[in-house]
Amino acid sequence: EKARKLASISGEKAHGGKDWSIDKIEHFTSVFDRVTSVLSRMDARHFFPDIIGESYAMRGLLGLIKKVAPTDSTVLILGESGTGKELVAISIFENSERKNKPFIKLNCAAIPEELLESELFGHEKGAFIGATKFKPGKFDMAHRGTIFLDEIGNLPETLQSKLLHVIQNKEVTRLGSNKPIPIDIRIICATNQDLKHLIQEKKFREDLYYRLKVVDLHLPPLRE
């Protein structure tokens, strides 16, 4: 409202016939920037007490997290190793509408490829040699909650199509079964790899990439 009354903006003379100087506008701008900066720092401390960092880059990131957390959008977290991707995923979950529901984590690079499908989708008794009993998968466990798939760039190509099916149809099929099971989950993924480069090398599905990056968050390294 004060800015609207400034003669330099309205094109009119100020009271007494004297033009407002550009310094006055710069003063208002400076005050506004300082107030915004203080409020964003307070916001960061209040909503994300576990995340250390009040730089401009980090406050911008936290502002995006605050906006996306209450939604059910799939989130892709990108950043170098050690930038806190898992911490960001937890913060999204804790500020979401699903915060009182399960939060299931799985590192796609930490489990051998031959076991990863069973970990994700579960299996029925007798589905393969050694499957002596029914085992729920991570998607089952995350029903009505959130699943965090870390190191998604390491997901084998054979499982990428199955993950795409889960996202598109909101259902999973356990190993040893032909019966799809409806699920209600939110998916958060993270990687330190360049997925676009993996797509060019035919190691990551382009359609899955765009399904995962409904919202993408880039975590700044410490040097930034």
Side-chain angles (χ1 to χ4, degrees), residues 147-167:
I147 187 168
F148 173 50
L149 302 176
D150 199 6
E151 301 300 346
I152 193 66
N154 291 88
L155 189 69
E157 295 177 61
T158 54
L159 297 183
Q160 291 177 23
S161 60
K162 294 191 175 185
L163 176 57
L164 182 64
H165 179 83
V166 171
I167 296 173

Side-chain angles (χ1 to χ4, degrees), residues 69-80:
T71 74
D72 260 351
S73 297
T74 302
V75 180
L76 177 61
I77 304 172
L78 305 168
E80 299 176 12

Side-chain angles (χ1 to χ4, degrees), residues 50-129:
D50 296 328
I51 298 181
I52 300 173
E54 296 182 2
S55 67
Y56 181 79
M58 282 302 297
R59 294 202 309 273
L61 173 67
L62 296 178
L64 288 174
I65 295 174
K66 188 180 175 186
K67 289 179 181 179
V68 73
T71 74
D72 260 351
S73 297
T74 302
V75 180
L76 177 61
I77 304 172
L78 305 168
E80 299 176 12
S81 296
T83 50
K85 294 185 290 295
E86 182 175 339
L87 193 58
V88 167
I90 293 173
S91 296
I92 293 173
F93 167 71
E94 291 179 343
N95 288 275
S96 73
E97 300 295 326
R98 297 175 183 256
K99 61 184 176 183
N100 296 319
K101 303 296 182 181
F103 180 72
I104 305 298
K105 298 183 287 184
L106 180 71
N107 188 320
C108 298
I111 300 174
E113 183 175 343
E114 60 271 16
L115 299 178
L116 188 55
E117 184 173 5
S118 175
E119 283 292 318
L120 278 172
F121 302 99
H123 64 252
E124 300 290 348
K125 181 179 178 180
F128 50 85
I129 297 175

